[in-house]
mmCIF file of all heavy atoms in Angstrom:
data_model
loop_
_atom_site.group_PDB
_atom_site.id
_atom_site.type_symbol
_atom_site.label_atom_id
_atom_site.label_comp_id
_atom_site.label_asym_id
_atom_site.label_seq_id
_atom_site.Cartn_x
_atom_site.Cartn_y
_atom_site.Cartn_z
ATOM 1 N N GLN A 9 214.655 -28.572 -119.428
ATOM 2 C CA GLN A 9 213.920 -27.345 -119.734
ATOM 3 C C GLN A 9 212.943 -27.674 -120.846
ATOM 4 O O GLN A 9 213.117 -28.677 -121.543
ATOM 5 C CB GLN A 9 214.883 -26.214 -120.148
ATOM 6 C CG GLN A 9 215.471 -26.336 -121.546
ATOM 7 C CD GLN A 9 216.405 -27.534 -121.730
ATOM 8 O OE1 GLN A 9 216.976 -28.038 -120.777
ATOM 9 N NE2 GLN A 9 216.535 -27.993 -122.964
ATOM 10 N N HIS A 11 212.116 -25.578 -123.408
ATOM 11 C CA HIS A 11 212.314 -24.807 -124.646
ATOM 12 C C HIS A 11 213.531 -25.337 -125.421
ATOM 13 O O HIS A 11 214.328 -26.100 -124.885
ATOM 14 C CB HIS A 11 212.499 -23.313 -124.323
ATOM 15 C CG HIS A 11 213.690 -23.048 -123.440
ATOM 16 N ND1 HIS A 11 213.624 -23.077 -122.076
ATOM 17 C CD2 HIS A 11 214.982 -22.800 -123.741
ATOM 18 C CE1 HIS A 11 214.821 -22.818 -121.568
ATOM 19 N NE2 HIS A 11 215.662 -22.653 -122.553
ATOM 20 N N LYS A 12 213.641 -24.900 -126.675
ATOM 21 C CA LYS A 12 214.696 -25.423 -127.548
ATOM 22 C C LYS A 12 215.807 -24.392 -127.738
ATOM 23 O O LYS A 12 215.874 -23.712 -128.762
ATOM 24 C CB LYS A 12 214.090 -25.852 -128.883
ATOM 25 C CG LYS A 12 213.134 -27.030 -128.705
ATOM 26 C CD LYS A 12 212.588 -27.530 -130.018
ATOM 27 C CE LYS A 12 211.764 -28.789 -129.786
ATOM 28 N NZ LYS A 12 211.113 -29.278 -131.009
ATOM 29 N N GLY A 13 216.644 -24.267 -126.717
ATOM 30 C CA GLY A 13 217.764 -23.331 -126.753
ATOM 31 C C GLY A 13 219.072 -24.069 -127.032
ATOM 32 O O GLY A 13 219.087 -25.125 -127.684
ATOM 33 N N SER A 14 220.158 -23.528 -126.509
ATOM 34 C CA SER A 14 221.489 -24.099 -126.775
ATOM 35 C C SER A 14 221.611 -25.517 -126.234
ATOM 36 O O SER A 14 222.161 -26.407 -126.895
ATOM 37 C CB SER A 14 222.556 -23.220 -126.121
ATOM 38 O OG SER A 14 222.433 -21.887 -126.553
ATOM 39 N N THR A 15 221.094 -25.736 -125.030
ATOM 40 C CA THR A 15 221.235 -27.054 -124.399
ATOM 41 C C THR A 15 220.497 -28.104 -125.216
ATOM 42 O O THR A 15 221.012 -29.198 -125.464
ATOM 43 C CB THR A 15 220.673 -27.005 -122.960
ATOM 44 O OG1 THR A 15 221.022 -25.753 -122.374
ATOM 45 C CG2 THR A 15 221.241 -28.127 -122.113
ATOM 46 N N TYR A 16 219.299 -27.749 -125.638
ATOM 47 C CA TYR A 16 218.516 -28.661 -126.477
ATOM 48 C C TYR A 16 219.296 -29.026 -127.733
ATOM 49 O O TYR A 16 219.403 -30.199 -128.107
ATOM 50 C CB TYR A 16 217.179 -28.003 -126.862
ATOM 51 C CG TYR A 16 216.499 -28.711 -128.014
ATOM 52 C CD1 TYR A 16 215.694 -29.814 -127.789
ATOM 53 C CD2 TYR A 16 216.716 -28.285 -129.339
ATOM 54 C CE1 TYR A 16 215.091 -30.489 -128.856
ATOM 55 C CE2 TYR A 16 216.126 -28.959 -130.404
ATOM 56 C CZ TYR A 16 215.328 -30.054 -130.153
ATOM 57 O OH TYR A 16 214.748 -30.725 -131.195
ATOM 58 N N HIS A 17 219.829 -28.022 -128.423
ATOM 59 C CA HIS A 17 220.491 -28.288 -129.704
ATOM 60 C C HIS A 17 221.718 -29.181 -129.537
ATOM 61 O O HIS A 17 221.959 -30.070 -130.357
ATOM 62 C CB HIS A 17 220.865 -26.964 -130.394
ATOM 63 C CG HIS A 17 219.695 -26.356 -131.098
ATOM 64 N ND1 HIS A 17 218.850 -25.450 -130.493
ATOM 65 C CD2 HIS A 17 219.196 -26.566 -132.335
ATOM 66 C CE1 HIS A 17 217.887 -25.114 -131.350
ATOM 67 N NE2 HIS A 17 218.073 -25.772 -132.472
ATOM 68 N N SER A 80 220.824 -30.072 -119.218
ATOM 69 C CA SER A 80 220.282 -28.930 -118.464
ATOM 70 C C SER A 80 221.138 -27.689 -118.672
ATOM 71 O O SER A 80 222.369 -27.770 -118.632
ATOM 72 C CB SER A 80 220.244 -29.251 -116.960
ATOM 73 O OG SER A 80 219.844 -28.109 -116.230
ATOM 74 N N PRO A 81 220.506 -26.529 -118.844
ATOM 75 C CA PRO A 81 221.273 -25.287 -118.746
ATOM 76 C C PRO A 81 221.643 -25.047 -117.283
ATOM 77 O O PRO A 81 221.021 -25.622 -116.380
ATOM 78 C CB PRO A 81 220.283 -24.216 -119.234
ATOM 79 C CG PRO A 81 218.926 -24.800 -119.081
ATOM 80 C CD PRO A 81 219.073 -26.300 -119.094
ATOM 81 N N VAL A 82 222.659 -24.216 -117.064
ATOM 82 C CA VAL A 82 222.994 -23.814 -115.699
ATOM 83 C C VAL A 82 221.989 -22.772 -115.234
ATOM 84 O O VAL A 82 221.805 -21.738 -115.887
ATOM 85 C CB VAL A 82 224.414 -23.209 -115.634
ATOM 86 C CG1 VAL A 82 224.690 -22.635 -114.253
ATOM 87 C CG2 VAL A 82 225.461 -24.234 -116.020
ATOM 88 N N TYR A 83 221.325 -23.059 -114.143
ATOM 89 C CA TYR A 83 220.484 -22.061 -113.473
ATOM 90 C C TYR A 83 221.086 -21.874 -112.089
ATOM 91 O O TYR A 83 221.084 -22.814 -111.290
ATOM 92 C CB TYR A 83 219.023 -22.536 -113.376
ATOM 93 C CG TYR A 83 218.203 -22.405 -114.660
ATOM 94 C CD1 TYR A 83 218.770 -21.961 -115.844
ATOM 95 C CD2 TYR A 83 216.847 -22.713 -114.659
ATOM 96 C CE1 TYR A 83 218.017 -21.841 -117.008
ATOM 97 C CE2 TYR A 83 216.090 -22.594 -115.824
ATOM 98 C CZ TYR A 83 216.680 -22.161 -116.995
ATOM 99 O OH TYR A 83 215.927 -22.045 -118.146
ATOM 100 N N VAL A 84 221.568 -20.663 -111.844
ATOM 101 C CA VAL A 84 222.268 -20.330 -110.589
ATOM 102 C C VAL A 84 223.184 -21.482 -110.115
ATOM 103 O O VAL A 84 223.075 -21.985 -109.014
ATOM 104 C CB VAL A 84 221.297 -19.853 -109.479
ATOM 105 C CG1 VAL A 84 220.768 -18.482 -109.818
ATOM 106 C CG2 VAL A 84 220.135 -20.805 -109.217
ATOM 107 N N TYR A 85 224.125 -21.813 -111.027
ATOM 108 C CA TYR A 85 225.219 -22.762 -110.750
ATOM 109 C C TYR A 85 224.777 -24.219 -110.645
ATOM 110 O O TYR A 85 225.564 -25.084 -110.280
ATOM 111 C CB TYR A 85 225.986 -22.354 -109.487
ATOM 112 C CG TYR A 85 227.268 -21.608 -109.798
ATOM 113 C CD1 TYR A 85 227.232 -20.443 -110.552
ATOM 114 C CD2 TYR A 85 228.501 -22.064 -109.364
ATOM 115 C CE1 TYR A 85 228.395 -19.753 -110.864
ATOM 116 C CE2 TYR A 85 229.671 -21.378 -109.662
ATOM 117 C CZ TYR A 85 229.610 -20.227 -110.423
ATOM 118 O OH TYR A 85 230.772 -19.538 -110.742
ATOM 119 N N HIS A 86 223.526 -24.512 -110.934
ATOM 120 C CA HIS A 86 223.066 -25.895 -110.800
ATOM 121 C C HIS A 86 222.100 -26.263 -111.919
ATOM 122 O O HIS A 86 221.713 -25.415 -112.728
ATOM 123 C CB HIS A 86 222.430 -26.115 -109.413
ATOM 124 C CG HIS A 86 223.456 -26.112 -108.334
ATOM 125 N ND1 HIS A 86 224.253 -27.202 -108.046
ATOM 126 C CD2 HIS A 86 223.877 -25.120 -107.513
ATOM 127 C CE1 HIS A 86 225.099 -26.895 -107.092
ATOM 128 N NE2 HIS A 86 224.900 -25.629 -106.747
ATOM 129 N N CYS A 120 225.432 -29.772 -120.777
ATOM 130 C CA CYS A 120 225.137 -28.555 -120.015
ATOM 131 C C CYS A 120 225.632 -27.336 -120.769
ATOM 132 O O CYS A 120 226.682 -27.393 -121.411
ATOM 133 C CB CYS A 120 225.873 -28.692 -118.680
ATOM 134 S SG CYS A 120 225.705 -27.272 -117.624
ATOM 135 N N THR A 121 224.871 -26.250 -120.714
ATOM 136 C CA THR A 121 225.406 -24.976 -121.209
ATOM 137 C C THR A 121 225.207 -23.907 -120.148
ATOM 138 O O THR A 121 224.288 -23.995 -119.321
ATOM 139 C CB THR A 121 224.730 -24.483 -122.515
ATOM 140 O OG1 THR A 121 223.422 -24.009 -122.211
ATOM 141 C CG2 THR A 121 224.683 -25.547 -123.582
ATOM 142 N N ALA A 122 226.104 -22.936 -120.174
ATOM 143 C CA ALA A 122 226.004 -21.772 -119.280
ATOM 144 C C ALA A 122 226.315 -20.543 -120.102
ATOM 145 O O ALA A 122 226.951 -20.644 -121.147
ATOM 146 C CB ALA A 122 227.024 -21.892 -118.156
ATOM 147 N N ALA A 123 225.894 -19.393 -119.611
ATOM 148 C CA ALA A 123 226.370 -18.167 -120.229
ATOM 149 C C ALA A 123 227.874 -18.087 -119.980
ATOM 150 O O ALA A 123 228.659 -17.743 -120.868
ATOM 151 C CB ALA A 123 225.650 -16.963 -119.638
ATOM 152 N N GLY A 124 228.289 -18.453 -118.773
ATOM 153 C CA GLY A 124 229.723 -18.397 -118.467
ATOM 154 C C GLY A 124 230.157 -19.423 -117.442
ATOM 155 O O GLY A 124 231.010 -20.267 -117.706
ATOM 156 N N ALA A 125 229.535 -19.412 -116.255
ATOM 157 C CA ALA A 125 230.068 -20.212 -115.144
ATOM 158 C C ALA A 125 229.023 -21.142 -114.546
ATOM 159 O O ALA A 125 227.818 -20.904 -114.643
ATOM 160 C CB ALA A 125 230.589 -19.267 -114.062
ATOM 161 N N GLY A 126 229.528 -22.209 -113.905
ATOM 162 C CA GLY A 126 228.641 -23.136 -113.196
ATOM 163 C C GLY A 126 228.469 -24.479 -113.898
ATOM 164 O O GLY A 126 227.630 -25.288 -113.506
ATOM 165 N N LEU A 127 229.278 -24.704 -114.948
ATOM 166 C CA LEU A 127 229.135 -25.957 -115.713
ATOM 167 C C LEU A 127 229.453 -27.184 -114.864
ATOM 168 O O LEU A 127 228.724 -28.176 -114.885
ATOM 169 C CB LEU A 127 230.066 -25.919 -116.935
ATOM 170 C CG LEU A 127 229.709 -24.898 -118.017
ATOM 171 C CD1 LEU A 127 230.866 -24.725 -118.988
ATOM 172 C CD2 LEU A 127 228.454 -25.325 -118.771
ATOM 173 N N ASN A 151 229.435 -26.487 -122.085
ATOM 174 C CA ASN A 151 229.961 -25.411 -122.918
ATOM 175 C C ASN A 151 229.457 -24.058 -122.407
ATOM 176 O O ASN A 151 228.247 -23.870 -122.240
ATOM 177 C CB ASN A 151 229.529 -25.624 -124.383
ATOM 178 C CG ASN A 151 230.309 -24.731 -125.324
ATOM 179 O OD1 ASN A 151 230.258 -23.508 -125.210
ATOM 180 N ND2 ASN A 151 231.057 -25.328 -126.230
ATOM 181 N N GLY A 152 230.375 -23.178 -122.174
ATOM 182 C CA GLY A 152 230.032 -21.797 -121.806
ATOM 183 C C GLY A 152 229.745 -21.048 -123.097
ATOM 184 O O GLY A 152 230.663 -20.524 -123.737
ATOM 185 N N VAL A 153 228.495 -21.031 -123.506
ATOM 186 C CA VAL A 153 228.148 -20.554 -124.850
ATOM 187 C C VAL A 153 228.155 -19.033 -124.981
ATOM 188 O O VAL A 153 228.075 -18.491 -126.080
ATOM 189 C CB VAL A 153 226.769 -21.105 -125.306
ATOM 190 C CG1 VAL A 153 226.837 -22.594 -125.574
ATOM 191 C CG2 VAL A 153 225.667 -20.777 -124.279
ATOM 192 N N ALA A 154 228.234 -18.330 -123.859
ATOM 193 C CA ALA A 154 228.193 -16.858 -123.867
ATOM 194 C C ALA A 154 226.957 -16.343 -124.616
ATOM 195 O O ALA A 154 227.049 -15.418 -125.429
ATOM 196 C CB ALA A 154 229.483 -16.299 -124.485
ATOM 197 N N ALA A 155 225.841 -16.989 -124.354
ATOM 198 C CA ALA A 155 224.593 -16.616 -125.050
ATOM 199 C C ALA A 155 223.407 -17.046 -124.204
ATOM 200 O O ALA A 155 223.542 -17.888 -123.315
ATOM 201 C CB ALA A 155 224.540 -17.305 -126.408
ATOM 202 N N VAL A 156 222.247 -16.495 -124.517
ATOM 203 C CA VAL A 156 221.041 -16.900 -123.793
ATOM 204 C C VAL A 156 220.104 -17.722 -124.683
ATOM 205 O O VAL A 156 219.032 -18.144 -124.257
ATOM 206 C CB VAL A 156 220.277 -15.702 -123.173
ATOM 207 C CG1 VAL A 156 221.085 -15.078 -122.048
ATOM 208 C CG2 VAL A 156 219.908 -14.672 -124.235
ATOM 209 N N ASN A 157 220.509 -17.929 -125.944
ATOM 210 C CA ASN A 157 219.761 -18.833 -126.832
ATOM 211 C C ASN A 157 220.692 -19.309 -127.949
ATOM 212 O O ASN A 157 221.808 -18.807 -128.102
ATOM 213 C CB ASN A 157 218.494 -18.166 -127.375
ATOM 214 C CG ASN A 157 218.819 -16.864 -128.096
ATOM 215 O OD1 ASN A 157 219.777 -16.788 -128.858
ATOM 216 N ND2 ASN A 157 218.017 -15.827 -127.840
ATOM 217 N N TRP A 158 220.230 -20.264 -128.735
ATOM 218 C CA TRP A 158 221.093 -20.901 -129.745
ATOM 219 C C TRP A 158 221.504 -19.919 -130.850
ATOM 220 O O TRP A 158 222.623 -19.959 -131.357
ATOM 221 C CB TRP A 158 220.349 -22.100 -130.331
ATOM 222 C CG TRP A 158 221.124 -22.965 -131.274
ATOM 223 C CD1 TRP A 158 220.791 -23.260 -132.558
ATOM 224 C CD2 TRP A 158 222.343 -23.693 -131.013
ATOM 225 N NE1 TRP A 158 221.712 -24.124 -133.111
ATOM 226 C CE2 TRP A 158 222.682 -24.402 -132.190
ATOM 227 C CE3 TRP A 158 223.196 -23.807 -129.896
ATOM 228 C CZ2 TRP A 158 223.821 -25.219 -132.294
ATOM 229 C CZ3 TRP A 158 224.325 -24.614 -130.006
ATOM 230 C CH2 TRP A 158 224.627 -25.307 -131.185
ATOM 231 N N VAL A 161 224.714 -18.010 -130.230
ATOM 232 C CA VAL A 161 225.995 -18.726 -130.114
ATOM 233 C C VAL A 161 226.815 -18.488 -131.384
ATOM 234 O O VAL A 161 226.302 -18.616 -132.503
ATOM 235 C CB VAL A 161 225.755 -20.245 -129.896
ATOM 236 C CG1 VAL A 161 227.074 -20.988 -129.776
ATOM 237 C CG2 VAL A 161 224.889 -20.476 -128.653
HETATM 238 C C1 FMN B 301 217.295 -18.555 -114.036
HETATM 239 C C2 FMN B 301 218.593 -18.588 -114.779
HETATM 240 C C3 FMN B 301 219.759 -18.719 -114.086
HETATM 241 C C4 FMN B 301 220.989 -18.742 -114.755
HETATM 242 N N1 FMN B 301 222.138 -18.926 -114.045
HETATM 243 C C5 FMN B 301 223.332 -18.934 -114.689
HETATM 244 C C6 FMN B 301 224.544 -19.151 -113.967
HETATM 245 O O1 FMN B 301 224.575 -19.361 -112.759
HETATM 246 N N2 FMN B 301 225.702 -19.122 -114.669
HETATM 247 C C7 FMN B 301 225.740 -18.885 -116.022
HETATM 248 O O2 FMN B 301 226.820 -18.863 -116.583
HETATM 249 N N3 FMN B 301 224.602 -18.718 -116.734
HETATM 250 C C8 FMN B 301 223.406 -18.747 -116.107
HETATM 251 N N4 FMN B 301 222.240 -18.575 -116.830
HETATM 252 C C9 FMN B 301 222.325 -18.500 -118.290
HETATM 253 C C10 FMN B 301 222.090 -19.846 -118.973
HETATM 254 O O3 FMN B 301 222.695 -20.907 -118.286
HETATM 255 C C11 FMN B 301 222.684 -19.885 -120.380
HETATM 256 O O4 FMN B 301 222.208 -18.790 -121.147
HETATM 257 C C12 FMN B 301 222.349 -21.185 -121.071
HETATM 258 O O5 FMN B 301 223.175 -21.368 -122.201
HETATM 259 C C13 FMN B 301 220.884 -21.236 -121.497
HETATM 260 O O6 FMN B 301 220.628 -22.476 -122.131
HETATM 261 P P1 FMN B 301 219.370 -22.649 -123.086
HETATM 262 O O7 FMN B 301 219.645 -21.830 -124.333
HETATM 263 O O8 FMN B 301 219.334 -24.105 -123.368
HETATM 264 O O9 FMN B 301 218.189 -22.159 -122.325
HETATM 265 C C14 FMN B 301 221.019 -18.584 -116.172
HETATM 266 C C15 FMN B 301 219.819 -18.427 -116.867
HETATM 267 C C16 FMN B 301 218.613 -18.432 -116.197
HETATM 268 C C17 FMN B 301 217.324 -18.298 -116.975
#
Side-chain angles (χ1 to χ4, degrees):
Q9 75 294 336
H11 60 272
K12 295 184 174 176
S14 305
T15 321
Y16 164 85
H17 280 91
S80 174
V82 173
Y83 282 4
V84 289
Y85 261 57
H86 289 280
C120 177
T121 73
L127 292 166
N151 193 300
V153 290
V156 292
N157 56 43
W158 186 237
V161 180

